[in-house]
């Protein structure tokens, strides 16, 4: 049976829809790494749910951090230290 708090999501058959975002240290798959993973639960209009806090994890990388990537996601070496 569908949990009461997810009843507004009939198109998902009671399952919670989430958006997953992955940020990297650059665009070269041979050099750059994943530096952040975020999972944001969404409501029936695909907006972030206010009742569930998003999950966010920063991953310290061993390689270089491309300044152009930092311009896009705003993550710099200070956050990853």
């Amino acid at each position: 049976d569908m949990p009461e708090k997810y009843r507004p999501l009939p198109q998902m058959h009671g399952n919670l829809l989430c958006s997953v975002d992955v940020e990297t240290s650059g665009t070269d798959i041979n050099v750059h790494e994943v530096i952040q993973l975020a999972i944001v639960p969404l409501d029936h209009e695909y907006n972030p749910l206010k009742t569930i806090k998003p999950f966010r994890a920063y991953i310290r990388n061993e390689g270089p951090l491309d300044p152009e990537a930092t311009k896009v996601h705003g993550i710099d070496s200070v956050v990853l230290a």
Side-chain angles (χ1 to χ4, degrees):
D1 191 35
M2 185 184 311
E4 183 65 35
K5 62 184 173 181
Y6 301 138
R7 288 195 194 277
L9 304 170
Q11 76 279 15
M12 299 304 301
H13 303 288
N15 295 306
L16 183 60
L17 178 66
C18 293
S19 175
V20 177
D21 181 41
V22 178
E23 300 295 351
T24 65
S25 60
T27 58
D28 185 340
I29 61 171
N30 295 311
V31 176
H32 298 111
E33 305 170 49
V34 172
I35 58 172
Q36 184 193 50
L37 175 66
I39 303 171
V40 180
L42 304 175
D43 67 15
H44 67 288
E45 294 179 344
Y46 306 107
N47 296 311
L49 270 175
K50 296 182 189 323
T51 58
I52 301 176
K53 189 175 181 179
F55 170 82
R56 184 176 297 124
Y58 291 96
I59 303 160
R60 188 178 347 192
N61 66 318
E62 300 295 325
L65 184 58
D66 186 335
E68 292 301 313
T70 297
K71 287 180 186 176
V72 173
H73 51 55
I75 301 169
D76 62 21
S77 59
V78 174
V79 173
L80 300 173

